[in-house]
Amino acid sequence: MAETAPQLRHMPWLTILGVGAAGPKSLSPASQTALAEAELVIGSARHLSLFPAITCPVIEWPVPFAEGIALLLTHRGRKVVMLASGDPFWFGAGSSVTRHLSRDEWVAYPTPSTFNLAAARLGWALQDTVCLGLHAAPLERTRPHLAPGARLLVLVRDGAAVAALATYLRDLGFGASRLHVLEGLGGPDERIRPAQADTLDVVDIAHPVAVAVECAGSGAVVPRASGLPDTLFDHDGQITKRPIRALTLSALAPRPGETLWDIGAGSGSIAIEWLLAHPANRALAVEADAARAERARANAWALGVDRLDVLIGTAPSALPEGASPDVVFIGGGLSHTLLEALWAQLPVGTRLVANAVTLESEALLATWQQAKGGVLLRIELAQAAPLGGRRGWRSQYPVVQWSVVL
């Protein structure tokens, strides 16, 4: 039997070096060898300044960052070293580059990240600490994690961002939080200074900088369970109320990495809770009223999820384009035409949940459930309310919910 020819393995042309604030002293022997053999080095101005002895050609990574990727790829095949901060694959530039490459084109040598160094300096258990990279992301991403006793390590852009974070904590009622301003960890100018959010007096903050937060205060905490308090959402009455929302999220059954279409989004409460369920989830909302659409965006932003896309229009004439969703929720605008359009457009296996309040929409769901199957649920709630000098039950409009897999 003839022997199978061995497969040739390509040598990586790109080496991604994680660099600490100590510059050359932070590099492993393998990193030092790669740098010595490089035909080209590319990195930010700050990283390049740490290596004045480089003798090969250098390129400063441009702004915006995406332009640097295209520039890097023009040098494919040369021995190229890319300088990045600490661990390039933990809130770093590594994955942004390697998604454009095959696995045999690159190799990476990380150094301890700022998170590692901060935990080592403060004695914090890293697995119990929330780690966030907010160089180019809003401070609102901290919002779901703010609770008395919580610990956060936050990478920020500069000293102004440290002050903005302190103000943000104070405005939310967490001004009593203890901060540790961590500058240049691992480098010759390393400095750690304590402060309190509502009396921050740390000045002359040097980059790179991170903030360790020991959260304290009486601010509102975002619960982890489905069915957030209605008071966390700005709305005009067009909102799926908390108990119904909890049951709806249970029916939607969010799984990591899934995409939701929220049709008739109103305040955006369903889509926002879907996004809060997992950081890899995505939601696209459809809302006919422009003011409500803007309110939904603002609610998402305020609760720390900036991944909500809102399309202004009426379904089915206005439905998101691109990849199909994993799940669809109909909270408004339910009609026979909409259901027909979704059934024709969506792939087999898509989960659909629809809530109905009016007699007409109830009848529609009953008809479709009889034809397509699924689970039909009638939800009736009542709250205690004054009744003369005593109390009685005040019933809410019942909601009929249909859950089905296409």
Side-chain angles (χ1 to χ4, degrees), residues 9-374:
R9 182 179 179 184
H10 299 288
M11 293 297 293
W13 63 269
L14 175 65
T15 301
I16 304 173
L17 293 191
V19 178
K25 294 181 180 180
S26 67
L27 299 184
S28 67
S31 297
Q32 294 173 8
T33 299
L35 194 59
E37 297 178 350
E39 298 174 4
L40 175 71
V41 175
I42 184 170
S44 69
R46 180 175 69 85
H47 287 136
L48 292 173
S49 70
L50 297 173
F51 296 90
I54 292 176
T55 57
C56 70
V58 300
I59 297 177
E60 183 176 328
W61 198 283
V63 177
F65 181 84
E67 292 184 4
I69 296 175
L71 176 62
L72 174 67
L73 295 179
T74 65
H75 297 280
R76 181 185 255 123
R78 302 179 66 186
K79 287 186 177 181
V80 180
V81 166
M82 170 186 167
L83 303 179
S85 296
D87 184 344
F89 294 92
W90 197 358
F91 293 104
S95 59
S96 298
V97 171
T98 57
R99 68 168 60 105
H100 300 277
L101 305 173
S102 62
R103 182 59 192 88
D104 62 357
E105 290 188 272
W106 60 272
V107 65
Y109 299 117
T111 62
S113 69
T114 299
F115 299 122
N116 297 128
L117 294 172
R121 302 296 188 269
L122 300 173
W124 289 9
L126 204 53
Q127 72 273 11
D128 299 325
T129 303
V130 176
C131 298
L132 298 171
L134 303 184
H135 293 99
L139 296 176
E140 284 81 1
R141 285 196 184 177
T142 62
R143 184 66 184 96
H145 308 288
L146 300 179
R151 285 177 167 176
L152 291 76
L153 287 174
V154 185
L155 309 183
V156 294
R157 183 175 57 256
D158 51 26
V162 175
L165 176 60
T167 300
Y168 180 67
L169 292 170
R170 182 198 66 203
D171 292 346
L172 287 174
F174 295 102
S177 297
R178 180 174 175 78
L179 308 182
H180 305 270
V181 181
L182 309 150
E183 303 163 77
L185 291 183
D189 299 320
E190 176 179 309
R191 184 166 56 174
I192 302 175
R193 291 183 282 175
Q196 187 165 305
D198 56 5
T199 58
L200 179 70
D201 57 359
V202 178
V203 296
D204 189 29
I205 298 173
H207 179 76
V209 59
V211 183
V213 181
E214 296 181 84
C215 197
S218 56
V221 176
V222 178
R224 289 297 188 179
S226 297
L228 300 182
D230 295 344
T231 53
L232 290 177
F233 302 94
D234 181 25
H235 62 91
D236 59 0
Q238 191 72 11
I239 182 174
T240 303
K241 300 297 193 297
R242 181 184 61 81
I244 303 297
R245 194 177 338 115
L247 291 170
T248 300
L249 264 294
S250 177
L252 291 170
R255 303 168 188 168
E258 289 189 324
T259 297
L260 169 76
W261 284 1
D262 182 0
I263 299 176
S267 66
S269 61
I270 292 290
I272 291 168
E273 290 214 38
W274 170 274
L275 292 170
L276 287 170
H278 195 275
N281 285 1
R282 187 179 178 217
L284 297 96
V286 179
E287 172 54 51
D289 185 276
R292 287 174 177 165
E294 183 56 36
R295 191 177 292 118
R297 293 189 189 98
N299 282 332
W301 193 269
L303 287 169
V305 286
D306 52 332
R307 309 183 309 281
L308 177 60
D309 297 323
V310 184
L311 174 65
I312 300 176
T314 303
S317 57
L319 286 175
E321 298 180 350
S324 298
D326 301 284
V327 189
V328 174
F329 171 63
I330 306 174
L334 179 64
S335 68
H336 179 76
T337 302
L338 174 58
L339 291 175
E340 277 191 327
L342 292 174
W343 230 265
Q345 177 175 340
L346 299 177
V348 173
T350 304
R351 307 194 301 278
L352 183 144
V353 176
N355 287 354
V357 177
T358 67
L359 292 174
E360 291 79 7
S361 56
E362 281 189 25
L364 178 63
L365 290 188
T367 299
W368 275 77
Q369 190 270 340
Q370 186 176 24
K372 303 294 185 180

